[in-house]
DNA sequence: GAAGCACTACTTTTT
DNA sequence: GTAGTGCTTC
């Protein structure tokens, strides 16, 4: 029975078979963290532990799915399927479906993703008549989310002197009111946001001892992956669940903690020994993933951080190739050089596309990479960015599903009622929502009977509204009768959404129809597999309701399709955590980009940024290439950039001489996205703006940049008159800082910005 | 009430 | 460069 344990090294083995009591595993990158978790689950099962008694919490759905597959393979028994294995959010969502009624939630509650939740915040800010520049929905959402992650309720928020004074000095004292009203609205819509899934689980376990006891009895064995990235709420929930059995195993690496910005607390790792004084600690330090050079570079970088748990990551692997360094002239140039390097490597060594990954700090950087890869016909797949599930047409369709299942979902009403246009406009909706608010009831109630809530509407509008509610009710009936796919198809057609986009008859419209069909396909797949893939033991018939229970928690990474297998991977470093690739390119290593400009002011932020770099470095198995550009198109402007400080933190002996921007001839001529054939679609819109700063103003005559002096009065075609504050750089890189009246300082690259001396 | 156009803010990272 | 918002016109 223990045969599979032979695959483990001594430490891994020890950590795996220590199945009882509190255990912490600190593992360096590539040291087999996931392996230990997987084998622990398999080991428990092989010892006869009931799979229903095991809870394994991961960070992504993908990690959970893969672990489940591997466990089943290891023990050769499908019983492994019954382990509760999933993300914190999905497992807690499931618990709340079952027991959330104790807190007053129906089991068909809606889950609002960050988009939906931000929409609601924005709406409230507007209703409260606040300035949405001061009270930016982003900022307010972030504050609310941070409060929830720390289990601070609206009441506690409003009574916490520290929080209040922080908000006051940010001149946003009303956030406490927004928070309060936001939560009331969510509750009234029978909806929870991501943070509520944690917060409410915590409340459930705190207020209902019997329920807590039920789950303590159920989850005799608890395993937590990526423990360094848990927040306070997650920490306390786990602690409660484990309080009885104390069979808890957490696995993590403080050096890979990269989610402090959303409330993750490395302190949870340090606290473990206080909570469980007789815990066993295992350290996995042998890296099996990367070459010596890569491990060495990563170790060097991380020593620049002060806060860290001491450990020595080492490897027995080959020394490997030195780290490549690419210096590009611009972001587009960087794309070309990286794509060429991939092309060369691939051809010389006969490698598949999937051996390569390009990692970046921000999603916006993918564009230049995409264009370059497309030029060379290298297939690629982008993860993240504008995710499939956040596209408008997908949100629209999902909103219909949500409303069908949960009529109280106000956001879903707002999204669907006039898409496609039904002649129910803003004014009408305002009246209805005011009435709902005044009578303290749901929008749906009012829609069903506007007269009894004294809403003044003409008969025509009333007919339109009742047609809409009848439609939604008919959908609800369909959902009862049909499986998820049939019901979804019916809704897509009968709602008129599909027709609306089809009739647009534009490339975008066609694309949107295709996307909706893709969603329907996903639902079909779900229906065919029944609820089996549904990360748990909910045995169902594959109804639309079941599909919707998980969909808001899905991300792009969760859609692995056959045809996507042999492609170069493009993703942010955050998304790459936990993954590995033979050949890795880390691009955009520039000051203010990586490290990000918003992360260079405090040590804590900078260290998180450095850990992010550490994560990036350690994704590589065989070869690593770093790159940076000397200028970059950002905020619709060219900016000059400097190489990242992180580059200096790697011993230069490990790095190859920079591969120069060797783009042959054609000195400064930029290929400027004129790739033939690739983008007919955007051509129409692009041709207007293509003449960046030049052609639009053919009458505007610029002065020779060389003639400009500090202090001169100049005029810009767009910004008007201003005064040169400073000049720097030489020749084509000459840059001016100009103060424009009523606009402020602008940094202009004189190669592009046309200035005329007044 | 709907469609079209111009303006603005945004880009850190995600369940 | 983009998406969302708000203004204007029909």
């Amino acid at each position: 029975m223990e045969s599979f344990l032979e695959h483990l090294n001594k430490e891994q083995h020890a950590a795996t078979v220590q199945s009882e009591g509190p255990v912490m595993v600190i593992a360096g990158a590539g040291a087999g963290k996931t392996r230990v978790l997987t084998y622990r689950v398999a080991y428990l099962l092989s010892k006869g532990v009931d799979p229903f008694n095991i809870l394994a919490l991961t960070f992504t759905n993908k990690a959970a799915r893969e672990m489940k597959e591997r466990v089943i393979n290891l023990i050769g028994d499908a019983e492994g399927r019954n382990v509760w294995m999933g993300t914190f959010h999905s497992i807690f969502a499931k618990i709340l479906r079952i027991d959330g009624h104790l807190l007053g939630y129906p089991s068909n509650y809606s889950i609002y993703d960050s988009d939906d939740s931000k929409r609601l915040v924005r709406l409230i800010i507007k209703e409260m008549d606040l300035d949405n520049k001061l009270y930016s929905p982003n900022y307010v959402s972030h504050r609310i989310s941070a409060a929830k992650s720390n289990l601070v309720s609206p009441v506690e928020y409003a009574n916490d002197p520290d929080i209040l004074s922080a908000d006051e000095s940010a001149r946003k004292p009303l956030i406490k009111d927004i928070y309060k009203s936001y939560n009331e609205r969510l509750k009234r819509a029978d909806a929870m946001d991501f943070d509520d899934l944690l917060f409410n689980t915590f409340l459930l376990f705190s207020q209902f001892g019997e329920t807590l006891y039920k789950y303590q009895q159920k989850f005799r064995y608890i395993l937590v992956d990526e423990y360094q990235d848990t927040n306070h709420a997650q920490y306390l929930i786990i602690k409660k669940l484990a309080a009885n059995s104390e069979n808890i195993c957490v696995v993590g690496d403080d050096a890979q903690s990269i989610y402090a910005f959303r409330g993750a607390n490395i302190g949870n790792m340090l606290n473990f020994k206080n909570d469980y004084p007789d815990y066993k600690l295992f350290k996995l330090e042998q890296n099996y993933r990367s070459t010596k050079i890569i491990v060495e570079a990563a170790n060097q970088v991380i020593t620049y951080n002060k806060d860290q748990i001491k450990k020595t990551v080492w490897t027995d692997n080959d020394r490997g190739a030195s780290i490549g360094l690419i210096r590009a002239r611009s972001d587009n140039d960087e794309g070309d050089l990286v794509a060429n390097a991939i092309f060369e490597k691939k051809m010389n060594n006969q490698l598949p596309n999937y051996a390569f990954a390009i990692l970046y700090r921000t999603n916006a950087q993918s564009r230049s990479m995409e264009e370059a890869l497309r030029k060379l016909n290298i297939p690629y797949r982008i993860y993240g960015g504008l995710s499939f599930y956040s596209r408008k047409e997908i949100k629209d369709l999902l909103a219909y599903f949500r409303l069908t299942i949960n009529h109280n979902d106000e956001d879903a009403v707002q999204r669907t009622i006039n898409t496609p246009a039904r002649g129910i406009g803003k004014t009408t909706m305002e009246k209805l929502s005011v009435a709902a608010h005044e009578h303290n009831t749901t929008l749906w109630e009012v829609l069903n009977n506007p007269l009894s809530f004294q809403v003044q509407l003409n008969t025509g509008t009333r007919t339109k509204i009742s047609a809409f509610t009848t439609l939604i009710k008919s959908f609800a009936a369909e959902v009862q009768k049909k499986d998820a796919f049939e019901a979804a198809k019916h809704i897509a057609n009968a709602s008129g959404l599909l027709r609306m986009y089809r009739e647009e008859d534009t490339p975008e419209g066609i694309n949107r129809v295709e996307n909706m069909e893709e969603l329907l396909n996903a639902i079909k797949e779900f229906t065919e597999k029944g609820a089996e893939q549904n990360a748990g033991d909910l045995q169902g018939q594959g109804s639309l309701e079941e599909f919707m229970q998980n969909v808001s928690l899905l991300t792009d990474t969760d859609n692995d399709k056959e045809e996507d297998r042999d492609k170069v991977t493009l993703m942010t470093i955050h998304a790459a955590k936990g993954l590995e690739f033979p050949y890795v390119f880390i691009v955009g290593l520039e000051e203010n980009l990586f490290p990000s400009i918003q992360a260079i002011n405090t040590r804590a932020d900078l260290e998180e940024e450095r850990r992010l770099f550490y994560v990036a470095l350690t994704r590589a198995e065989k070869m690593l290439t770093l790159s940076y550009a000397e200028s970059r198109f950002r905020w619709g402007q060219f900016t000059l950039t400097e190489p990242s400080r992180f580059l200096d933190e790697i011993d230069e002996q490990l790095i190859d001489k920079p591969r120069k921007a060797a783009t042959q001839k054609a000195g400064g001529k930029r290929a400027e996205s004129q790739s033939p054939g690739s983008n007919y679609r955007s051509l129409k819109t692009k041709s207007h703006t293509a003449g960046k700063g030049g052609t639009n103003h053919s009458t505007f005559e610029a002065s020779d940049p060389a003639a400009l002096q500090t202090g001169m009065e100049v005029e810009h075609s767009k910004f008007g008159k201003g005064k040169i504050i400073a000049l720097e750089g030489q020749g084509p890189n000459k840059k001016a800082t100009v103060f424009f009246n009523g606009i402020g300082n602008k940094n202009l690259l004189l190669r592009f910005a046309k200035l005329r001396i007044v």
Side-chain angles (χ1 to χ4, degrees):
Chain A
M1 114 186 177
E2 294 200 5
S3 61
F4 59 77
L5 294 179
E6 285 164 14
H7 309 141
L8 300 173
N9 73 20
K10 213 177 128 213
E11 273 294 298
Q12 291 171 339
H13 185 275
T16 300
V17 300
Q18 179 64 50
S19 59
E20 311 293 310
V23 169
M24 177 151 87
V25 181
I26 297 183
K33 220 167 8 119
T34 321
R35 201 181 176 84
V36 166
L37 272 185
T38 314
Y39 277 66
R40 265 183 84 92
V41 175
Y43 178 71
L44 287 170
L45 293 173
S46 72
K47 275 204 341 180
V49 172
D50 188 338
F52 286 100
N53 288 144
I54 301 174
L55 171 67
L57 296 167
T58 61
F59 225 67
T60 62
N61 294 300
K62 195 179 176 200
R65 206 166 42 236
E66 285 175 2
M67 200 189 298
K68 194 170 268 191
E69 267 166 36
R70 277 193 249 171
V71 168
I72 292 172
N73 280 338
L74 280 178
I75 59 167
D77 184 347
E79 267 288 282
R81 180 174 305 145
N82 294 323
V83 174
W84 276 47
M85 203 178 275
T87 61
F88 282 89
H89 290 85
S90 68
I91 295 283
F92 295 166
K94 199 178 352 172
I95 290 177
L96 289 166
R97 300 259 176 231
I98 300 169
D99 291 301
H101 60 93
L102 293 169
L103 297 170
Y105 287 92
S107 68
N108 61 351
Y109 69 84
S110 301
I111 298 176
Y112 280 14
D113 68 18
S114 353
D115 244 36
D116 308 328
S117 115
K118 215 169 277 171
R119 261 171 66 105
L120 181 52
V121 169
R122 186 174 289 125
L123 185 70
I124 292 170
I125 290 170
K126 207 169 157 191
E127 284 177 4
M128 288 173 67
D129 240 344
L130 298 172
D131 174 7
N132 71 355
K133 268 181 205 147
L134 185 58
Y135 287 92
S136 91
N138 269 332
Y139 182 86
V140 176
S141 287
H142 181 256
R143 288 290 288 173
I144 293 176
S145 172
K148 288 190 177 184
S149 312
N150 284 307
L151 303 171
V152 177
S153 68
V155 174
E156 287 161 336
Y157 193 102
N159 289 317
D160 187 312
D162 289 343
I163 293 176
L164 292 184
S165 75
D167 279 351
E168 242 150 62
S169 54
R171 287 201 253 129
K172 302 176 181 65
L174 295 179
I175 292 182
K176 61 174 172 32
D177 300 325
I178 303 175
Y179 183 17
K180 178 164 175 275
S181 144
Y182 169 77
N183 250 19
E184 286 166 359
R185 294 283 279 269
L186 277 177
K187 186 76 200 352
R188 206 168 66 194
D190 286 331
M192 300 195 202
D193 64 19
F194 284 156
D195 301 305
D196 284 337
L197 295 174
L198 308 182
F199 202 156
N200 285 330
T201 303
F202 173 79
L203 290 180
L204 183 70
F205 289 165
S206 312
Q207 294 170 10
F208 300 91
E210 273 175 31
T211 307
L212 173 62
Y213 184 71
K214 178 174 91 179
Y215 286 104
Q216 285 175 337
Q217 291 306 107
K218 175 168 172 49
F219 300 131
R220 311 289 310 163
Y221 294 89
I222 299 172
L223 299 93
V224 186
D225 195 9
E226 310 279 12
Y227 193 62
Q228 76 281 353
D229 284 326
T230 50
N231 65 26
H232 187 60
Q234 291 165 326
Y235 161 76
L236 282 182
I237 295 169
I238 298 163
K239 193 172 160 190
K240 277 179 184 296
L241 278 174
N244 246 339
S245 70
E246 294 216 336
N247 290 328
I248 174 170
C249 170
V250 303
V251 176
D253 178 6
D254 59 298
Q256 294 185 64
S257 158
I258 53 173
Y259 283 105
F261 74 91
R262 72 168 206 224
N265 181 5
I266 316 191
N268 293 345
M269 278 196 98
L270 309 171
N271 274 336
F272 197 79
K273 60 171 179 287
N274 304 328
D275 289 336
Y276 311 97
D278 57 345
Y279 82 118
K280 297 269 193 317
L281 175 68
F282 299 93
K283 281 192 185 180
L284 308 182
E285 298 181 316
Q286 181 175 0
N287 172 303
Y288 291 94
R289 179 184 296 153
S290 316
T291 64
K292 282 202 174 67
I293 291 208
I294 293 168
V295 170
E296 217 172 296
N299 280 343
Q300 284 168 5
V301 167
I302 205 69
T303 54
Y304 285 84
N305 273 7
K306 276 190 178 161
D307 289 329
Q308 51 175 323
I309 299 174
K310 273 269 168 323
K311 63 180 161 322
T312 327
V313 180
W314 60 279
T315 185
D316 242 355
N317 293 344
D318 290 345
R319 184 162 169 76
S322 359
I323 297 171
L325 181 61
I326 291 176
R327 182 170 76 202
R329 278 186 285 102
S330 65
D331 46 357
N332 287 332
D333 194 30
E334 184 184 38
D336 289 338
L337 291 170
V338 168
N340 280 323
I342 290 179
F343 189 77
E344 227 171 82
K345 192 86 205 163
K346 184 182 136 156
M347 286 309 167
N348 289 341
N349 303 32
Q350 292 297 306
L351 297 164
N353 296 311
Y354 66 73
F356 296 91
I358 302 175
L359 308 180
Y360 35 78
R361 180 65 181 82
T362 65
N363 282 306
Q365 289 167 258
S366 70
R367 170 181 253 106
S368 54
M369 297 293 140
E370 280 178 80
E371 276 176 12
L373 290 169
R374 231 181 292 144
K375 270 189 241 164
L376 295 184
N377 269 327
I378 302 176
Y380 61 87
R381 158 130 205 240
I382 301 187
Y383 293 81
L386 232 199
S387 126
F388 181 74
Y389 293 100
S390 56
R391 303 203 176 146
K392 189 179 173 305
E393 64 277 17
I394 299 301
K395 294 239 91 166
D396 286 347
L397 189 49
L398 289 174
Y400 272 100
F401 297 163
R402 261 165 44 199
L403 182 58
T404 300
I405 290 161
N406 172 12
H407 295 339
N408 291 337
D409 191 331
E410 184 175 330
D411 182 69
V413 175
Q414 301 274 13
R415 269 185 211 270
T416 53
I417 197 161
N418 209 27
T419 318
R422 293 191 177 87
I424 307 171
K426 227 171 76 181
T427 328
T428 310
M429 287 314 287
E430 236 154 59
K431 285 186 200 162
L432 293 164
S433 87
V434 165
H437 195 70
E438 275 173 2
H439 293 84
N440 198 23
T441 181
T442 63
L443 199 50
W444 178 256
E445 277 297 311
V446 181
L447 284 177
N448 269 291
N449 207 344
L451 286 182
S452 67
F453 293 99
Q454 292 93 47
V455 189
Q456 300 297 319
L457 297 169
N458 60 42
T459 0
T461 311
R462 278 212 309 275
T463 316
K464 290 170 188 164
I465 292 174
S466 100
F468 176 72
T469 54
T470 310
L471 183 71
I472 298 299
K473 285 176 197 161
S474 79
F475 291 168
E478 291 289 321
V479 167
Q480 294 305 314
K481 282 186 288 195
K482 294 178 171 164
D483 68 32
F485 175 63
E486 290 299 326
K489 204 169 78 178
H490 175 83
I491 295 174
N493 283 311
S495 64
L497 263 190
L498 268 175
R499 194 178 348 117
M500 178 180 98
Y501 287 119
R502 222 175 255 142
E503 279 170 4
E504 259 182 29
D505 208 26
T506 59
E508 283 102 324
I510 294 168
N511 198 261
R512 289 184 194 275
V513 170
E514 283 170 4
N515 284 333
M516 286 165 69
E517 280 165 357
E518 200 178 325
L519 177 64
L520 291 176
N521 275 338
I523 298 176
K524 186 170 189 181
E525 218 169 281
F526 167 85
T527 313
E528 281 162 4
K529 281 191 191 160
E532 152 198 347
Q533 64 162 35
N534 190 2
D537 63 343
L538 285 181
Q539 292 301 319
Q541 312 77 41
S543 68
L544 189 61
E545 193 167 339
E546 284 165 71
F547 178 79
M548 289 305 288
Q549 286 175 5
N550 274 311
V551 78
S552 354
L553 301 171
L554 291 182
T555 59
D556 272 15
T557 333
D558 298 323
N559 286 336
D560 268 337
K561 287 203 246 88
E562 272 301 306
E563 68 258 34
D564 282 337
R565 277 184 53 205
D566 189 27
K567 290 185 175 176
V568 172
T569 299
L570 272 71
M571 53 168 59
T572 64
I573 301 166
H574 282 88
K577 195 175 72 155
L579 305 178
E580 55 189 21
F581 306 90
Y583 299 87
V584 170
F585 291 78
I586 306 172
V587 301
L589 277 159
E590 293 141 36
E591 281 297 296
N592 298 339
L593 179 60
F594 193 16
S596 155
I597 190 160
Q598 5 227 330
I600 51 178
N601 293 323
T602 69
R603 169 172 295 280
D605 285 345
L606 185 62
E607 294 205 344
E608 174 147 315
E609 208 70 4
R610 189 177 283 112
R611 290 193 296 270
L612 192 59
F613 187 43
Y614 177 82
V615 168
L617 293 170
T618 53
R619 296 312 94 197
E621 297 169 355
K622 290 194 164 67
M623 212 184 94
L624 190 59
T625 306
L626 311 176
S627 84
Y628 65 92
E630 289 166 334
S631 70
R632 187 169 289 279
F633 200 65
R634 277 182 100 184
W635 308 298
Q637 254 201 337
F638 269 93
T639 7
L640 287 186
T641 54
E642 275 172 42
S644 167
R645 67 189 76 187
F646 292 155
L647 287 170
D648 299 329
E649 297 175 0
I650 300 175
D651 188 338
E652 52 186 33
Q653 291 188 332
L654 302 180
I655 303 184
D656 267 347
K657 287 248 173 63
R659 293 172 58 165
K660 249 257 171 155
T663 352
Q664 323 80 331
K665 53 214 163 169
K669 212 180 285 171
R670 197 164 297 94
E672 210 65 274
S673 69
Q674 301 283 14
S675 50
S678 61
N679 42 8
Y680 298 121
R681 285 182 188 176
S682 39
L683 261 181
K684 195 175 55 178
T685 43
K686 255 187 189 151
S687 57
H688 289 294
T689 48
K692 262 170 217 141
T695 45
N696 315 3
H697 302 273
S698 45
T699 48
F700 190 91
E701 266 190 43
S703 309
D704 179 8
L708 297 174
Q709 301 283 325
T710 309
M712 277 181 170
E713 299 280 344
V714 291
E715 191 177 354
H716 183 272
S717 58
K718 187 162 149 213
F719 303 129
K721 289 193 176 157
K723 188 176 180 182
I724 299 181
I725 308 286
L727 286 167
E728 54 188 303
Q730 293 292 316
N733 289 333
K734 194 167 183 180
K735 201 168 69 167
T737 307
V738 183
F739 178 81
F740 291 102
N741 303 328
I743 295 177
N745 282 344
K746 288 273 174 199
N747 275 320
L748 303 169
L749 192 56
L750 297 174
R751 194 157 24 127
F752 301 101
K754 304 284 181 251
L755 292 178
R756 180 172 56 194
I757 301 170
V758 181

